[in-house]
Amino acid sequence: MDDEPAPLRWSGSFAVLPPSATSSKNLRGDKILLPQSALEQLLAASPTQPPSGATFTSYDPFNPYAFANGRATYRDQAQLPNPLMFRLVNPTNDNAVYAGIREFSAPEGSIGLSSFLLEALGIDAHTLPAPNGVGEDNPVDLTSDGDVPAAALQLTVHARQLPKGTYVRLRPLEAGYNPDDWKSLLERQLRESFTTLTRDAVLSVKGVQGETFNFLVDKLAPEGDGICVVDTDIEVDIEALNEEQARETLRQIMEKAQPGTAHGSSKGGELDIWKDVEGQVIPGEYVDYTLPSWNRSQPLEIVLSDLADDASLDLFVSPRSAKQRVLPRDTAHVFGNFNPAQHGSKTISIAPSNVELEEAESILISVHAYVRPVESSAPRTPIPFKLRARAAIGPELGPATANDDVRHSAEEDQCKNCFQWVPKRTMMLHENFCRRNNIVCTKCGTVFKTGSAEWESHWHCDLDDAHGNTSESKAKHDDVFHGNRQCPSCDFSTNSLPDLARHQTSVCPGKLILCRFCHLEVTQEGDPFNPSPEVVLSGMTAHELADGARTTECHLCDKIIRMRDMELHLKHHELDKANRAKPQICRNINCGRTLHGVGPKGQVGAGTAQGQGPGNELGLCSICFGPLYVSMYDPEGKALRRRIERRYLGQLMTGCGKSHCRNEWCKTGRATLGLEAKGASAQAALPMVKPLLAVIPDLEQPMYFCVDAANQTRRKVAEMMAAEKAWDLEWCVAAAEAEKGNTDRMRDWLQAWAPRR
């Protein structure tokens, strides 16, 4: 009998909703919205399973009263396939595409489509008014010769289960696609937005910087019109459409891989904190550098120097961490300097206590040559610069001014016009000359030569404290600080470029992060203006909260835990570990066993829990005590004492005969160790054994019995590991017993279950 469920057979016709009606649902990829009635029809059409214990005569799935009196109806036994997939057909042009369901919340008789599906089906979103009165009860006559009105456009939806995909070939529609990591981009896009892939559809993939890469889905495996991409491993090949595109792509890649020519921007690369780096940048472009290491206990300065007075270079810095993943740009940076150069240099100073440096892997630095939008088509000449990362000297950040510590004598006085210190005897001559030739700005106190171009172009902003000496700097200031800006990922708007950068690197839902659970670069999501209490209290992003709701198995206790709760769960394990009592080990100094056994999950005393017994009054494990056990009444222990004496005498006089033995109280062991034999006769051995018999009641004193090779080896390994003084000997013996003396696994066991000294 075939146990595979019967295929789900269902279809329907629905009017297409305009995008404005579904924008609140944020439909992406191949997701659709269906009405609630569609879910009921799917449940009715799905294969049903009889309840457990039902007989042939008691179970009737078509009788609505069969499971009355508060018990489940037959619909509760319906088995819908997971995930649900559908085939959408546009009857006006016969375009077909596969899709996955987002939710069943559309108005009755209508269907909501994402922009990807609208394009794949050849539907113009601008010609879609709200479908009033259009539904299954009011169908459109598609057989008429006239055009179908946009308001009556309906799609045919079929339930269709697709096989799990194993291979897909993508062909870029434009040349030059070469992002750093195709794997993370595709994984993020498919995981977040797609349930299926349709052959000959155009797949749009969002890049790290917001760019869009369009690919044609050219080939699938298993062969067919579509595949399922949920819970499956897919091999992806990216091939050019033709040879001409491949050559153009290779040419562009080579140009990007070999920058730094006389007429182009520098290549960038890694920064050394001990030396300067010289470079050049074309207006409108960026040169990116990485500072891999620095002294985290000292202030850090990033200095851009050797700048011409009219050089419009900007400096951007972003620490790279799990919370910051993109290269610094004018619209997305943590630290930035848009101000005009002072004495030919710009500086960004970062304190070691700055919260942005927490968990930073490296520091990303970008040099940008500003270009006004109206000058974007003008010829561009590279602008030279010198970049240096250094540790700041002294408690205060930033360079000291030239006159900070200058002391003036009593014979000097300050000119009230140019503020220079001159000798008092020449003050009159200086002031007469100064007032004729110099002029002072009353707002900023800057001194200019009368009639100079700098004074004619000197400006002050009416909205802030900014000022400059050129018309270009005024135009740049107005564009950077007083131009309207709109965040591409949310509704945030501002008139300041630094505010937009601060938004995109902090609360913007489109900010890229490295998810701690799926380990992919994804957008953090969430509402930037009204974050949920869970986001605020947990310190996680909205994406991580949703992704962390998946469950996994704790590797220590095998419990099913939510991924976002795993860190707290492991802290409980650490608290329990710190309070664990040491296991009791066998009193035999050659034995590598505990008294009551160790479980596979670190349980101390597991042998006793499984009926091994509570041990014995000698403090020996069951293996070492076995040769001494006799089922006779011995309340005073005299017989036991005689058995111990005979065993010691036997070891000293004849030995155990085992080649591996390293017991100093055994003739064989002493020979193996190269020691002189002693106690060869009973007369010589008895005086040596009596001190050992005298300390039998003292459980702190060791005993010396021969053991098997594996047991002896485990004890030696445990003693060597305990000599490292990280864990006590008792825990090392327990780890050796649990992991059979394997040192690597012993360390893992100790790390998981044993408290450190």
Side-chain angles (χ1 to χ4, degrees):
M1 180 178 180
D2 190 2
D3 295 333
E4 294 184 1
L8 177 62
R9 301 185 182 278
W10 174 85
S11 62
S13 182
F14 300 92
V16 180
L17 286 172
S20 59
T22 60
S23 59
S24 60
K25 300 299 182 182
N26 194 23
L27 287 177
R28 294 178 295 183
D30 67 345
K31 305 302 182 183
I32 63 173
L33 298 178
L34 288 176
Q36 181 69 26
S37 60
L39 175 59
E40 297 178 357
Q41 296 170 13
L42 286 166
L43 288 171
S46 64
T48 57
Q49 300 292 333
S52 58
T55 63
F56 176 76
T57 57
S58 65
Y59 175 67
D60 182 5
F62 301 100
N63 182 2
Y65 304 102
F67 301 100
N69 300 325
R71 293 196 292 174
T73 64
Y74 75 94
R75 284 187 173 88
D76 294 327
Q77 308 298 326
Q79 300 293 321
L80 285 178
N82 184 32
L84 276 172
M85 291 170 280
F86 303 90
R87 187 172 186 266
L88 313 181
V89 180
N90 184 355
T92 62
N93 54 19
D94 293 331
N95 285 2
V97 67
Y98 292 96
I101 187 69
R102 173 67 184 270
E103 55 188 47
F104 294 92
S105 60
E108 288 300 323
S110 62
I111 181 174
L113 304 177
S114 65
S115 58
F116 165 77
L117 295 175
L118 289 172
E119 182 178 355
L121 292 170
I123 300 175
D124 186 359
H126 301 288
T127 62
L128 289 175
N132 297 324
V134 178
E136 293 183 356
D137 297 334
N138 187 21
V140 179
D141 185 8
L142 300 178
T143 61
S144 62
D145 296 334
D147 295 335
V148 179
L153 180 60
Q154 291 201 353
L155 297 182
T156 304
V157 182
H158 304 272
R160 183 72 58 85
Q161 294 308 113
L162 296 174
K164 298 285 186 181
T166 59
Y167 172 83
V168 59
R169 183 171 67 189
L170 304 178
R171 294 188 181 271
L173 298 184
E174 296 180 9
Y177 288 176
N178 187 33
D180 294 334
D181 190 359
W182 280 113
K183 181 176 183 293
S184 62
L185 290 176
L186 289 172
E187 282 186 356
R188 185 177 75 226
Q189 185 79 359
L190 295 179
R191 179 173 181 173
E192 291 180 351
S193 308
F194 283 85
T195 304
T196 66
L197 282 180
T198 306
R199 191 180 62 186
D200 297 333
V202 177
L203 178 64
S204 296
V205 180
K206 292 292 183 181
V208 174
Q209 299 297 332
E211 65 272 31
T212 301
F213 306 102
N214 295 319
F215 297 93
L216 175 67
V217 181
D218 181 57
K219 185 178 180 181
L220 302 172
E223 293 186 1
D225 295 334
I227 57 173
C228 174
V229 298
V230 177
D231 298 331
T232 182
D233 292 329
I234 299 179
E235 179 184 355
V236 180
D237 282 342
I238 300 176
E239 298 182 6
L241 276 174
N242 47 50
E243 293 185 4
E244 181 181 355
Q245 186 192 75
R247 286 193 296 268
E248 176 63 18
T249 299
L250 182 60
R251 185 189 65 80
Q252 295 184 22
I253 293 175
M254 293 299 293
E255 285 184 355
K256 294 179 180 179
Q258 298 178 354
T261 60
H263 304 287
S265 297
S266 298
K267 183 177 181 180
E270 286 194 357
L271 272 183
D272 189 342
I273 203 167
W274 300 108
K275 61 182 181 181
D276 298 339
V277 173
E278 295 183 354
Q280 61 184 23
V281 57
I282 294 178
E285 295 186 1
Y286 294 85
V287 179
D288 300 314
Y289 295 91
T290 301
L291 182 63
S293 61
W294 68 99
N295 190 338
R296 296 176 182 256
S297 63
Q298 293 183 351
L300 179 67
E301 285 186 347
I302 312 297
V303 181
L304 188 65
S305 58
D306 285 3
L307 304 180
D309 294 338
D310 57 348
S312 185
L313 295 187
D314 298 321
L315 182 62
F316 306 123
V317 177
S318 290
R320 180 175 174 83
S321 64
K323 297 179 181 179
Q324 301 289 347
R325 306 302 295 178
V326 298
L327 293 171
R329 293 296 181 260
D330 57 352
T331 58
H333 59 266
V334 178
F335 307 101
N337 190 335
F338 289 97
N339 299 325
Q342 298 293 330
H343 306 291
S345 67
K346 288 186 175 185
T347 302
I348 292 179
S349 302
I350 309 175
S353 58
N354 195 299
V355 68
E356 298 291 348
L357 294 182
E358 291 184 3
E359 301 179 359
E361 307 165 2
S362 59
I363 292 182
L364 305 178
I365 304 168
S366 294
V367 179
H368 175 235
Y370 173 80
V371 59
R372 295 168 57 188
V374 295
E375 301 174 348
S376 58
S377 59
R380 304 178 184 181
T381 303
I383 304 175
F385 63 86
K386 182 183 292 185
L387 185 65
R388 173 73 182 270
R390 66 188 182 191
I393 301 175
E396 296 184 359
L397 297 176
T401 61
N403 298 322
D404 281 348
D405 298 325
V406 177
R407 296 184 179 182
H408 304 280
S409 67
E411 299 298 327
E412 293 181 331
D413 201 356
Q414 189 176 26
C415 176
K416 297 180 181 179
N417 187 59
C418 65
F419 306 108
Q420 291 186 4
W421 290 85
V422 296
K424 291 182 178 180
R425 64 180 181 273
T426 61
M427 178 60 70
M428 183 178 296
L429 294 175
H430 172 81
E431 286 188 345
N432 290 335
F433 178 84
C434 184
R435 293 183 185 277
R436 287 195 308 269
N437 295 278
N438 296 330
I439 188 170
V440 181
C441 178
T442 58
K443 294 183 178 180
C444 62
T446 306
V447 180
F448 297 92
K449 187 177 181 179
T450 303
S452 63
E454 289 81 2
W455 169 246
E456 297 296 334
S457 302
H458 185 66
W459 58 271
H460 279 266
C461 183
D462 298 332
L463 303 176
D464 52 38
D465 297 331
H467 57 86
N469 301 328
T470 61
S471 57
E472 291 80 5
S473 62
K474 179 65 167 66
K476 176 184 176 182
H477 174 80
D478 291 340
D479 180 41
V480 171
F481 293 95
H482 305 299
N484 293 326
R485 309 284 177 176
Q486 177 68 42
C487 177
S489 303
C490 64
D491 297 332
F492 177 81
S493 61
T494 180
N495 61 352
S496 172
L497 198 55
D499 287 346
L500 177 61
R502 191 178 303 110
H503 165 78
Q504 292 207 48
T505 55
S506 57
V507 298
C508 179
K511 171 188 171 184
L512 284 181
I513 63 167
L514 182 64
C515 178
R516 67 186 73 180
F517 302 119
C518 63
H519 305 291
L520 298 175
E521 288 186 354
V522 295
T523 56
Q524 65 178 355
E525 304 176 2
D527 187 349
F529 308 108
N530 187 24
S532 66
E534 286 184 317
V535 171
V536 177
L537 295 176
S538 67
M540 300 182 188
T541 63
H543 169 85
E544 289 176 327
L545 278 176
D547 198 29
R550 295 180 293 140
T551 59
T552 186
E553 187 178 83
C554 175
H555 67 284
L556 296 178
C557 61
D558 295 336
K559 290 185 178 179
I560 303 300
I561 307 295
R562 287 191 305 185
M563 296 178 69
R564 69 187 189 199
D565 298 331
M566 182 60 71
E567 183 177 357
L568 181 62
H569 177 75
L570 293 178
K571 287 183 179 179
H572 284 291
H573 278 298
E574 290 295 323
L575 292 175
D576 293 340
K577 181 175 68 175
N579 298 320
R580 299 188 77 188
K582 296 180 184 178
Q584 293 179 306
I585 62 175
C586 181
R587 186 178 174 184
N588 183 5
I589 200 172
N590 299 307
C591 180
R593 291 171 53 90
T594 60
L595 287 186
H596 310 302
V598 181
K601 292 298 180 181
Q603 307 97 320
V604 176
T608 301
Q610 297 173 5
Q612 180 174 305
N616 50 78
E617 65 274 14
L618 293 180
L620 295 173
C621 68
S622 58
I623 301 299
C624 293
F625 185 71
L628 304 176
Y629 174 76
V630 175
S631 59
M632 63 178 294
Y633 183 67
D634 186 21
E636 297 181 0
K638 293 181 179 181
L640 178 60
R641 183 185 179 92
R642 289 194 297 269
R643 289 194 294 273
I644 295 174
E645 181 181 13
R646 287 197 298 270
R647 186 169 182 186
Y648 276 135
L649 290 174
Q651 289 180 176
L652 288 173
M653 294 168 60
T654 62
C656 63
K658 300 175 181 177
S659 59
H660 66 268
C661 182
R662 297 293 190 274
N663 186 3
E664 295 183 6
W665 292 87
C666 174
K667 182 178 180 180
T668 305
R670 294 185 69 84
T672 305
L673 294 172
L675 301 176
E676 181 183 356
K678 59 181 180 178
S681 63
Q683 183 178 1
L686 276 173
M688 300 172 60
V689 172
K690 285 184 179 181
L692 300 179
L693 299 177
V695 298
I696 290 178
D698 187 359
L699 299 181
E700 298 297 326
Q701 297 296 324
M703 302 183 78
Y704 307 89
F705 297 137
C706 298
V707 295
D708 59 275
N711 209 8
Q712 180 177 269
T713 302
R714 290 201 300 265
R715 178 61 180 239
K716 293 300 180 183
V717 172
E719 290 175 349
M720 288 189 293
M721 195 165 290
E724 299 175 3
K725 298 183 179 180
W727 295 279
D728 292 323
L729 175 62
E730 292 83 355
W731 287 110
C732 294
V733 171
E737 181 181 9
E739 301 298 345
K740 310 301 182 185
N742 186 299
T743 54
D744 293 334
R745 295 205 301 264
M746 282 175 62
R747 294 185 188 277
D748 294 339
W749 191 97
L750 290 168
Q751 192 69 35
W753 304 109
R756 288 183 173 268
R757 285 185 176 180

